[in-house]
Amino acid sequence: MPVTDVATDPEALTFTLTAEFAAPVERLWQAFTEPRQLERFWGPPGYPATFTEFDLTAGGRARYHMTGPKGEEFHGVWEFLEIDGPRSFSALDSFADQDGEVVADLPTSRMVFAFDETPTGSRLVNTTYFETAEALEKVVAMGMVEGSTMAINQLDRVLAGLREYSAGKGTETEILDDTHVRITRLVEGPIELVWRAHQEPELLKKWLLGPDGWRLAVAEVDPAVGGRYRYRWEPVGGTEGQAFGFDGETLLSEAPRRAVTTEHMTGTDFPSTLNDLNLEEEDGATLITLLIEYPDKETRDMVLATGMTDGMEASYARLERTLVSA
């Protein structure tokens, strides 16, 4: 992971994050100062950022919001203070309302981003300065340490490019914390077609099969927010096992990039998971990122122990073949 150190200093009233990257300083600077690249990693998993304004000049301002898995939005603004590309920039960072107005009763801090060369690439040192110990304590309690770490740890794939970053990896499962797992897989094909393959029943039945010997017998999907879906798998050709299925509701749909659904095992009293699907295209390939939120660590471990990753890899391999013929 790129992040090598995070530290809060109640006496100096600072929060400092340090990260190392196998990319030159100029490339790191580009990622932080071009809004379309910045929004690919700035929000932590489950809360992607959208920048609606970005004026990288002294006195200029950036405006953004992060969208949670249920459609909730969290707004912020930066007021740029000093720009010294490609070595550093600083800005005042404030919480804002949906109109971009600073929320006065939440802390405003001063951020300094410094980029330095290293023998293997570059180093980021991001220091945030607070006016009071109470302000520092407040943002730490709001999850600043965890959120910043997870956000910056997503930057590697932006710097490297999706093909280089994903080469030879297949389906990867990462445990982020006790209740969150992130699954990624790069597939060859445009984002619009990958989106359709996750939404249209006739395409789902061609690839969402899991291990060999199973078929998706039922695929009913209403992709609109508030709509329901239902899947049912059955064994075929003498494969052992009993039919099973999942059902749920669509909470968020932003075609062709993001869909958030609940997932419940049909006919059981097992608690639902929250499945956050994100798609990102680069050079004709699409990175599938599925963030799953489990109700507790025990459920997470039970599901992972079923061989979920292998089953998903088999399905994603079929998806690539399906995209070629679609």
Side-chain angles (χ1 to χ4, degrees):
M1 293 293 186
V3 174
T4 59
D5 185 62
V6 289
T8 57
D9 187 334
E11 294 185 0
L13 303 180
T14 59
F15 166 76
T16 304
L17 179 147
T18 305
E20 304 273 348
F21 301 96
V25 164
E26 291 78 10
R27 180 68 187 93
L28 191 57
W29 171 265
Q30 182 184 47
F32 273 90
T33 57
E34 293 187 5
R36 298 291 79 80
Q37 295 194 49
L38 181 58
E39 63 190 11
R40 290 170 62 186
F41 67 88
W42 185 250
Y47 294 85
T50 302
F51 281 80
T52 56
E53 183 180 344
F54 201 90
D55 178 10
L56 186 67
T57 59
R61 151 178 148 134
R63 179 178 168 188
Y64 70 95
H65 63 271
M66 298 179 184
T67 304
K70 297 180 181 179
E72 64 274 39
E73 292 186 354
F74 305 91
H75 295 257
V77 293
W78 296 349
E79 180 185 342
F80 293 108
L81 302 174
E82 298 180 0
I83 314 296
D84 182 21
R87 297 297 177 184
S88 69
F89 71 88
S90 61
L92 295 179
D93 180 23
S94 302
F95 294 89
D97 61 22
Q98 62 182 3
D99 297 319
E101 298 298 323
V102 172
V103 178
D105 58 351
L106 289 174
T108 289
S109 57
R110 179 170 61 92
M111 307 183 300
V112 177
F113 294 86
F115 310 103
D116 295 308
E117 294 179 1
T118 69
T120 57
S122 56
R123 176 183 299 113
L124 161 70
V125 179
N126 172 206
T127 306
T128 304
Y129 298 84
F130 295 86
E131 293 184 352
T132 65
E134 291 74 20
L136 172 58
E137 291 171 0
K138 190 166 190 174
V139 297
V140 168
M142 294 170 69
M144 180 181 187
V145 174
E146 298 83 1
S148 297
T149 301
M150 288 192 289
I152 299 302
N153 275 337
Q154 300 175 123
L155 181 49
D156 261 359
R157 72 189 190 195
V158 178
L159 297 175
L162 295 184
R163 288 186 186 277
E164 179 182 342
Y165 180 79
S166 302
K169 293 181 178 179
T171 300
E172 285 199 307
T173 298
E174 303 171 79
I175 296 176
L176 301 181
D177 57 32
D178 284 351
T179 59
H180 291 88
V181 168
R182 178 170 56 198
I183 298 163
T184 54
R185 175 59 148 85
L186 187 73
V187 298
E188 293 292 337
I191 189 172
E192 290 82 3
L193 192 51
V194 177
W195 175 265
R196 285 179 50 209
H198 281 83
Q199 304 290 331
E200 298 178 9
E202 62 270 23
L203 291 176
L204 282 163
K205 289 183 177 181
K206 292 181 178 180
W207 71 271
L208 192 60
L209 311 180
D212 290 336
W214 290 81
R215 73 183 183 107
L216 182 58
V218 175
E220 300 172 354
V221 181
D222 178 356
V225 173
R228 308 265 328 162
Y229 72 89
R230 183 169 71 95
Y231 302 147
R232 178 179 172 82
W233 288 267
E234 297 176 350
V236 295
T239 301
E240 295 184 358
Q242 295 184 341
F244 68 96
F246 291 97
D247 57 79
E249 177 185 355
T250 299
L251 303 181
L252 179 70
S253 182
E254 298 177 348
R257 299 192 176 278
R258 190 182 186 196
V260 182
T261 60
T262 62
E263 183 179 88
H264 164 257
M265 180 171 276
T266 305
T268 73
D269 57 1
F270 294 151
S272 297
T273 62
L274 192 66
N275 293 1
D276 191 343
L277 173 72
N278 288 265
L279 304 180
E280 179 182 346
E281 182 182 356
E282 186 177 287
D283 190 27
T286 299
L287 181 69
I288 299 170
T289 301
L290 180 63
L291 180 69
I292 305 176
E293 179 180 316
Y294 295 96
D296 49 55
K297 181 178 183 297
E298 290 71 26
T299 303
R300 181 204 73 184
D301 292 344
M302 178 183 69
V303 174
L304 292 179
T306 64
M308 178 183 72
T309 302
D310 291 339
M312 295 185 76
E313 171 58 27
S315 287
Y316 285 140
R318 292 191 191 93
L319 172 59
E320 283 197 303
R321 296 194 293 271
T322 300
L323 296 178
V324 171
S325 60

